[in-house]
Amino acid sequence: MRTVSASVQSSGNGRATHAQVRDTSRGPVTSPSVQDRIEAGFERFGRRVVRARWLAAAGTLALAALLVDQLPPPFETAVEKFLRTDDPARVLWEEFQDQFGRPDAILVSVRPPDVFDLAFLERLRELHDALEDEVPHLEEIQSLINARSTRGEGDELIVEDLLEELPRGPEELRALRERVLSNPFYVNTLISKDGSFTGLLLTLDLYAGEVDDDYGGFEEDEGPEPAAARRELSGFEIHGTVARVRELLARFDAPGFRLRMAGSPVLQERVVASMQRQLPRFVAIMMGAVALLLALLFRRASGVLLPLLTVALSLACTVGAMAAAGAPITPPTQVLPTFLLAVGIGTAVHVLKIFYMRFDAGDSVEDAVAHALGHSGLAIVMTGATTAGGLLSFSVAGLTPIEDLGRFAPLGVLLVLLYSLVLLPALLAIVPLRRRPALPEGALTRRLEAGIVRIGMYSARHPGPVLGTTAVAVVVALFGIARLEFSNDVMSWLPPESELRQATGEIDRELGGSMTLELVVDTGARDGAKQPEILSALDELRVTVGGLTRGDHLYVGRTISIADVVKEIHQALNENRPEYYAVPDDARLVAQELLLFENSGSDDLEDVVDTPFRQARFTIKLPYIDPIGYDGFIEEVEAHFAERLPEATIGTTGFMAMMGQTVKRVIRGMTRSYLLALAIITPLMILLLASLRTGLASMVPNLSPIVLVLGLMGFSGVRIDSFTMMIGSIAIGLVVDDTIHFMHGFRRYYAKCGDPYEAVTRTLETTGQALLFTSIVLSLGFSVFALSDMVHLAYFGIFTAIAIAGAFLLDIAVSPALMILATRRDFRQTAEPS
């Protein structure tokens, strides 16, 4: 049986509330429920923390000291490190490097008034020698100075550097020009087709070796290590080498000798440099802004310093745990500091808002802490669980850095809970506190609170129009989502005016490409790469593949294989006559000529074939484009190789192939992550609200912001990449927090008063201001990334902030309407609300 009391009560702020309902068929409203018992448990926990405050503070600080001692983790952007160690693409990449060395090189471009000018060649030699003498970890430097020159004298094969001696006059310079521009090995590798542009290729060591004593920051090796103990160059060492090259080029750069640098090592170094420069700045900006907001909200030093301290310790512990586990800071994990700062402050605010309200009203510290944890403890734990669950979904992404985010971000959230529920209450009991008078009715925070309540009550009174408008917005957003495109263009992360983007474009135009696609042809037999039919097939593929294009933006600059070396040797041993620039059709002759080449002292065969001549390397020079654009091209190249070399095994690798594989794994992995996030969060919401119907309804304000933001991205032309694709999983883990706090408060007050309208009002009065503040903190935390000079990071921050702000608006404008509809069956009003 249900009895209805039509008395009008005051909510405590002068506003009238609606009819109170008691459902006596279910027993007294005040009878202890599961939620009541949980809240009482949190109250008891709060009292124990206060009574053991020194022990609680000492324990949490000791944990922080243990983990902080592991700082700092290294920075890493190597493309292969995005893939798991057992990923076939990474295994092939590492096998390729072990056999042929690094396929990626630092490219240095020079555009002089005249390449074939003696003064320029002398300056080029000085630069070449300086690079050899002053830059560590360079395995090889190629330029016109030391370009391979192969010629024959009788039965002797002579292989020497092109410019062992510089030309001595105009005639020799003209002869040099003709010789260089007629050699296919030089054109589009070391010099442009018109001879106006030249370059240097700097190949880095694969393994660490001896370095100069005075090279700042590089570790000095005692000597060469045994093969089994060899250590690959670290990202720090590679980036240090790039930085040293940049310093040296700045020294040589002058009018008539303008130098630019490009290549994948330079691109990765630029990304790391940006991360190292911007991360501290972003954290500092956000902490300053948060401090101002905390001061505005709480009007006391403890309300500013204690949350910042607990969050800083949580963050330091998380990053320390990464360092202890050997996990580096990568582009995806660089969002962790700002993310945890925002989450931690939001969590602390929900504790402090209730604590200061009760403390200022006259409660003791112990009573105020107990009430704060009893009121918000369950919601805080549930929001932590859902946030961690949303982030945990990244652990199945299939890409190591994103999986690291899926491991350490949930750990960070749990540490935030630990420090907010243990250290923060302990510090509140330790530090001296003074009570503050209540704010006057006209104060800004009071006006904000009243505005939030008015929005919520409008939604509660007009659920149909509110939900209908939301549904229309979601449908429109779906059309925007249909327009989304995928991308993984790391170069586009940089500003359009960046020196690297300019240099890359110039090298692509003048030297036929700044990137390479590498194919490994395994003939299956020793000396298989010496067989004329294999060599002829490679030479035919040079022509076939060289003619492939994809519009104006993707073309083949040139190809390099053992067939080119064989043709070069054969021509040199036949009086350098052009008609002998061909593959011999006699296997024994090929073997003899290759033996002569090896005996000449040149080790260049190591770059194109393995020692048993079983595996041959085929390099394709390409311009830089969005890696996702190489997909169809690579498939066509592989099809041509499979058709022409059906008995051989073909492996495809290289920087751009690895980037393309990364894109595919991002798409598959993030799809799994989105589904897993939903699978984790939805049951948690149902469990918290103890109702299937209400739990499913609560997902509307959780999912709608994600749909709306993705639609906005589609209409704005922003592409989905490895960063922007994380917006959904991160945002759903965050926006659900506001929903939980609203739903938890609503359920709490509805159980006490039985009137959904009254429950909405009281929920927004006690929780609305904290929801607003935490949403501001979270939005501010991510919008800080809009200051980044890395475009992808700016987009990530902007759209995540929009999702969080939109979630707050939906929580106060849509959640009340959903709760009114969800409880309509249990509630019969005796009078329409005024």
Side-chain angles (χ1 to χ4, degrees), residues 663-678:
V663 174
K664 294 177 182 177
R665 283 156 178 75
V666 164
I667 295 171
R668 290 199 300 266
M670 295 308 293
T671 301
R672 290 197 300 268
S673 295
Y674 275 82
L675 295 175
L676 181 59
L678 286 174

Side-chain angles (χ1 to χ4, degrees), residues 109-117 120 195-198 255-258:
S109 65
V110 196
R111 185 189 291 278
D114 184 3
V115 171
F116 300 98
D117 173 76
F120 168 76
S196 65
F197 187 91
T198 187
F257 200 80
R258 292 300 181 193

Side-chain angles (χ1 to χ4, degrees), residues 321-639:
M322 290 182 63
I329 297 290
T330 59
T333 56
Q334 70 175 310
V335 305
L336 255 181
T338 309
F339 169 78
L340 290 178
L341 182 59
V343 171
I345 292 295
T347 303
V349 163
H350 283 285
V351 174
L352 293 177
K353 182 71 169 64
I354 303 299
F355 170 83
Y356 285 129
M357 181 178 70
R358 296 302 294 253
F359 180 73
D360 290 342
D363 281 4
S364 67
V365 169
E366 181 176 324
D367 289 341
V369 166
H371 186 83
L373 294 191
H375 182 279
S376 301
L378 176 59
I380 287 174
V381 170
M382 292 303 295
T383 57
T386 53
T387 300
L391 294 166
L392 188 65
S393 65
F394 290 136
S395 62
V396 299
L399 294 171
T400 301
I402 298 179
E403 289 178 343
D404 284 345
L405 185 64
R407 287 190 288 267
F408 292 104
L411 173 63
V413 172
L414 296 179
L415 287 168
V416 163
L417 290 180
L418 172 67
Y419 281 89
S420 298
L421 296 178
V422 178
L423 179 61
L424 181 58
L427 292 176
L428 288 171
I430 291 172
V431 302
L433 300 174
R434 287 193 295 180
R435 305 183 195 277
R436 297 282 187 224
L439 288 172
E441 286 294 330
L444 175 62
T445 53
R446 283 292 182 90
R447 291 199 298 271
L448 288 174
E449 179 184 301
I452 291 170
V453 171
R454 282 196 296 272
I455 293 172
M457 289 309 298
Y458 178 87
S459 171
R461 294 189 186 102
H462 307 90
V466 168
L467 295 178
T469 302
T470 304
V472 170
V474 168
V475 170
V476 172
L478 293 176
F479 287 98
I481 292 175
R483 300 174 61 175
L484 285 172
E485 296 180 356
F486 291 96
S487 171
N488 199 31
D489 187 356
V490 180
M491 192 73 69
S492 70
W493 296 358
L494 304 175
E497 68 277 5
S498 71
E499 180 68 19
L500 177 55
R501 289 185 71 166
Q502 299 295 324
T504 301
E506 185 176 48
I507 291 172
D508 286 342
R509 290 189 301 272
E510 301 293 346
L511 293 180
S514 55
M515 296 290 144
T516 60
L517 177 66
E518 303 285 353
L519 291 99
V520 179
V521 179
D522 189 341
T523 64
R526 186 180 184 86
D527 291 334
K530 294 180 180 178
Q531 301 307 308
E533 56 271 21
I534 297 292
L535 293 169
S536 296
L538 293 175
D539 195 38
E540 291 174 16
L541 286 165
R542 171 186 62 84
V543 177
T544 304
V545 171
L548 298 179
T549 61
R550 286 288 187 280
D552 296 332
H553 61 285
L554 182 54
Y555 51 85
V556 175
R558 68 155 299 171
T559 64
I560 304 169
S561 73
I562 186 176
D564 300 307
V565 179
V566 168
K567 292 191 295 180
E568 180 183 314
I569 298 169
H570 191 55
Q571 181 184 31
L573 291 172
N574 287 274
E575 302 175 349
N576 298 308
R577 289 156 59 184
E579 63 267 27
Y580 282 92
Y581 188 71
V583 174
D585 55 9
D586 186 337
R588 288 177 300 175
L589 180 58
V590 170
Q592 291 170 2
E593 293 183 346
L594 287 171
L595 181 61
L596 286 174
F597 185 83
E598 291 180 277
N599 291 338
S600 70
S602 174
D603 60 359
D604 287 358
L605 281 177
E606 296 176 0
D607 296 334
V608 293
V609 72
D610 65 355
T611 303
F613 283 83
R614 171 176 173 154
Q615 293 184 341
R617 173 185 182 181
F618 192 98
T619 301
I620 305 173
K621 282 194 70 175
L622 300 166
Y624 180 92
I625 63 169
D626 186 337
I628 206 166
Y630 290 104
D631 245 8
F633 177 84
I634 292 175
E635 291 174 2
E636 188 171 358
V637 168
E638 290 174 335

Side-chain angles (χ1 to χ4, degrees), residues 252-275:
F252 275 82
D253 189 70
F257 200 80
R258 292 300 181 193
L259 299 168
R260 282 180 161 179
M261 183 168 58
S264 57
V266 184
L267 177 58
Q268 294 174 50
E269 185 267 346
R270 284 291 81 195
V271 173
V272 166
S274 177
M275 289 163 53

Side-chain angles (χ1 to χ4, degrees), residues 681-682 685-686 689 691-703 736 739-740 743 811 815 818-819:
I681 291 172
T682 303
M685 295 298 295
I686 295 171
L689 300 175
S691 166
L692 176 63
R693 183 176 57 187
T694 308
L696 293 176
S698 72
M699 294 305 293
V700 173
N702 291 332
L703 297 179
V736 75
T739 306
I740 285 176
M743 298 294 182
D811 272 315
S815 294
L818 289 169
M819 291 302 95

Side-chain angles (χ1 to χ4, degrees), residues 130-206:
L131 288 166
E132 284 186 335
D133 296 339
E134 301 179 32
V135 180
H137 305 308
L138 289 183
E139 179 183 5
E140 184 180 16
I141 301 172
Q142 295 182 58
S143 72
L144 289 177
I145 301 301
N146 69 338
R148 184 177 72 238
S149 175
T150 307
R151 57 189 175 86
E153 292 186 0
D155 292 335
E156 184 180 3
L157 184 68
I158 299 173
V159 182
E160 59 189 4
D161 292 345
L162 176 64
L163 294 177
E164 287 191 355
E165 295 183 6
L166 293 178
R168 289 187 289 270
E171 290 297 325
E172 291 189 8
L173 284 168
R174 280 194 294 271
L176 175 66
R177 177 186 179 90
E178 182 179 343
R179 181 180 173 190
V180 167
L181 294 180
S182 64
N183 190 321
F185 175 74
Y186 304 148
V187 175
N188 273 0
T189 300
L190 299 174
I191 194 165
S192 60
K193 291 179 180 179
D194 62 3
S196 65
F197 187 91
T198 187
L200 300 89
L201 276 70
L202 317 181
T203 305
L204 280 72
D205 291 324
L206 179 59

Side-chain angles (χ1 to χ4, degrees), residues 3-7 9 18-22 830:
T3 62
V4 180
S5 169
S7 61
Q9 300 177 352
H18 304 296
Q20 181 176 347
V21 176
R22 289 178 179 271
T830 58

